Amino acid sequence: MPSKEIPYKIYLEEGEMPKAWYNLRADMKNKPAPLLNPGTLQPLTAEELSPIFCEELVAQELDETTPFIEIPDEIRNFYKMYRPSPLVRAYCLEEKLQTPAKIYYKFEGNNTSGSHKLNSAIAQAYYAKKQGLKGVTTETGAGQWGTALSMACSYFDLDCKVYMVKVSYEQKPFRREVMRTYGASVVPSPSETTEVGKKILAEHPGTTGSLGCAISEAVEVATKNPGYRYVLGSVLNQVLLHQSVIGIEAHDAMKKYGIKPDMIIGCAGGGSNLGGLIAPFMGEKLRGEADYEFIAVEPASCPSFTRGTYAYDFCDTGMICPLAKMYTLGSSFIPSANHAGGLRFHGMSSTLSQLYHDGYLKAVSVEQTEVFKAAEQFARVEGILPAPESSHAIKVAIDEAQKCKETGEEKTILFGLTGTGYFDLVAYQKFNDGEMTDTIPTDEDIAASIARLPKVD
Ligand SMILES: *Cc1c(COP(=O)(O)O)cnc(C)c1O
């Protein structure tokens, strides 16, 4: 058994919680490419963004120079109900693997929404309330973001309209009920309630939807209803900013015990948990103060980094949203129905895309059956039933720990355990029954959607 000087759970005191978010872009020499107006192809201005997003969130979205942005007291007080989140030394997993590696994970599943998404939901709801809005609209894939936003909106007494990808709406009725309990209205997408939904349904009758479709619908509703704005749970710079609370806590807790990670691993859907977890460490790397290895893990069924193209693309299927430069599979790409619903977005955060492009970040893709094997291994010794999304990071953390076993290296590995899997038991059932399959897009599938990228240059 490894030394017990370091406790299983490392907590910061309440008074040690971050007072400011960290804006990684401030330390990037090559800034992420700006969002473009899809009509003029010019960088979007604050005036153009403000009919879609709340004013302060627009300011955060466009701010690439201020390193620290104070967390308002109202948000910090909410954070105190479920943060600081634990940083756990995975002693039991280490022992099981017989690895000399030291494994830590930052666990974000300790709140009712079951994932890290609440960190940004509460911030976005706060700014909407502060602006005097009536409500917000959004999309949700697997349901975690919609759940988090419903909780945040009920806390600040805001109306919340959620467009939920139809396949999840049907497969995850319990998530839907959590959202409704918190007062949100939940509509399966694509729907007949929007122009873009009708158009998508006419073109693809019987479609089970995608995040891109649901985004188009939510944006349409926000821009057509006075007093409403659209909020997004990942991808955007502002979301990465709010999620930096994960990384700052992890960084400070490790520092308190004199621990320095060699390698930081996170699953990547739109990039918000990974961007948040690595933020302060990446800042040190960019400033030349320390070195770390960063690994993004994505599903082989939706491999934006590893098989995508770095280009301007739409964030939505209806092609009404701003254009973002990112690693993308094309906005018309609809991934196969894998079980890591939160990792099924066709693109990737523009900040992480730039860092990946510049070689600061690596990426690997993994198949879902392997991911569930890792989830099972983890659950059996560490006592947490992990979300399928989070289990992508577990899989690669275990692989890296196995490599250490072969080489004898005592690497320190930190990974993000973004949430719990209690609403994913249909997926676990498939796995337990041996019925889980892996679907990997062909080169032709990807080329077909890449061919439809907007022509920008
Ligand atoms: C949404 C989600 C993710 C992926 O989103 P990112 O923005 O890439 O972090 C990962 N894990 C869980 C549990 C999620 O709910």
Side-chain angles (χ1 to χ4, degrees), residues 252-445:
D252 293 358
M254 291 189 123
K255 204 169 147 198
K256 201 167 158 180
Y257 283 87
I259 309 157
K260 184 184 172 292
D262 297 299
M263 181 180 275
I264 304 175
I265 302 167
C267 62
S272 75
N273 87 83
L274 178 67
L277 176 67
I278 68 177
F281 302 98
M282 182 62 88
E284 289 179 344
K285 182 162 170 150
L286 291 170
R287 295 189 303 270
E289 296 164 9
D291 198 16
Y292 305 96
E293 192 179 342
F294 300 102
I295 307 179
V297 190
E298 56 187 17
S301 56
C302 193
S304 333
F305 268 140
T306 50
R307 294 176 67 199
T309 299
Y310 190 36
Y312 268 105
D313 192 11
F314 289 95
C315 293
D316 64 325
T317 312
M319 305 186 182
I320 56 176
C321 284
L323 298 172
K325 189 169 181 188
M326 56 188 176
Y327 279 84
T328 180
L329 296 163
S331 63
S332 58
F333 180 82
I334 297 191
S336 70
N338 77 44
H339 293 290
L343 303 180
R344 297 182 70 222
F345 185 60
H346 64 272
M348 186 56 68
S349 137
S350 61
T351 299
L352 292 188
S353 292
Q354 184 67 50
L355 290 166
Y356 181 70
H357 192 67
D358 292 341
Y360 288 103
L361 172 72
K362 291 182 197 163
V364 292
S365 73
V366 290
E367 292 174 24
Q368 70 172 349
T369 321
E370 292 301 313
V371 165
F372 274 80
K373 278 185 199 154
E376 179 189 79
Q377 210 174 0
F378 179 86
R380 289 183 180 181
V381 291
E382 289 291 324
I384 293 172
L385 185 75
E389 292 88 351
S390 324
S391 305
H392 286 68
I394 297 176
K395 160 74 182 145
V396 172
I398 290 178
D399 286 351
E400 291 295 332
Q402 302 280 25
K403 282 186 208 158
C404 289
K405 189 174 167 180
E406 285 154 29
T407 61
E409 278 176 292
E410 293 183 25
K411 280 192 186 165
T412 298
I413 299 170
L414 166 64
F415 73 88
L417 189 69
T418 49
T420 49
Y422 298 108
F423 288 107
D424 301 284
L425 293 172
V426 171
Y428 275 98
Q429 182 182 18
K430 285 241 164 64
F431 175 72
N432 291 331
D433 288 343
E435 287 169 3
M436 184 168 273
T437 53
D438 299 310
T439 332
I440 301 172
T442 63
D443 288 343
E444 290 72 33
D445 293 338

Side-chain angles (χ1 to χ4, degrees), residues 111-330:
N111 66 76
T112 296
S113 80
S115 82
H116 66 285
K117 293 206 171 67
L118 193 56
N119 301 330
S120 183
I122 195 65
Q124 298 195 45
Y126 167 76
Y127 291 116
K129 185 73 185 176
K130 200 177 159 204
Q131 196 176 321
L133 298 176
K134 274 191 247 164
V136 293
T137 70
T138 198
E139 76 296 332
T140 196
Q144 289 96 315
W145 167 245
T147 309
L149 189 69
S150 308
M151 291 176 68
C153 285
S154 68
Y155 184 75
F156 285 121
D157 207 12
L158 282 167
D159 184 38
C160 179
K161 298 187 197 301
V162 180
Y163 282 82
M164 186 169 188
V165 177
K166 193 179 281 168
V167 62
S168 304
Y169 184 90
E170 284 158 6
Q171 282 179 359
K172 296 189 171 187
F174 299 130
R175 272 231 175 262
R176 191 171 82 208
E177 291 318 312
V178 181
M179 288 184 250
R180 292 179 59 209
T181 304
Y182 278 94
S185 64
V186 188
V187 179
S189 166
S191 75
E192 299 281 350
T193 66
T194 62
E195 292 309 315
V196 66
K198 284 182 207 158
K199 187 163 167 261
I200 292 166
L201 282 173
E203 280 168 20
H204 307 275
T207 175
T208 53
S210 71
L211 264 184
C213 299
I215 295 175
S216 301
E217 291 202 271
V219 171
E220 182 182 318
V221 174
T223 48
K224 285 190 177 164
N225 287 287
Y228 281 79
R229 293 292 185 279
Y230 167 68
V231 295
L232 183 58
S234 182
V235 185
L236 296 175
N237 295 319
Q238 54 186 281
V239 184
L240 266 73
L241 175 74
H242 306 146
Q243 295 297 355
S244 69
V245 69
I246 305 172
I248 301 170
E249 280 183 13
H251 181 269
D252 293 358
M254 291 189 123
K255 204 169 147 198
K256 201 167 158 180
Y257 283 87
I259 309 157
K260 184 184 172 292
D262 297 299
M263 181 180 275
I264 304 175
I265 302 167
C267 62
S272 75
N273 87 83
L274 178 67
L277 176 67
I278 68 177
F281 302 98
M282 182 62 88
E284 289 179 344
K285 182 162 170 150
L286 291 170
R287 295 189 303 270
E289 296 164 9
D291 198 16
Y292 305 96
E293 192 179 342
F294 300 102
I295 307 179
V297 190
E298 56 187 17
S301 56
C302 193
S304 333
F305 268 140
T306 50
R307 294 176 67 199
T309 299
Y310 190 36
Y312 268 105
D313 192 11
F314 289 95
C315 293
D316 64 325
T317 312
M319 305 186 182
I320 56 176
C321 284
L323 298 172
K325 189 169 181 188
M326 56 188 176
Y327 279 84
T328 180
L329 296 163

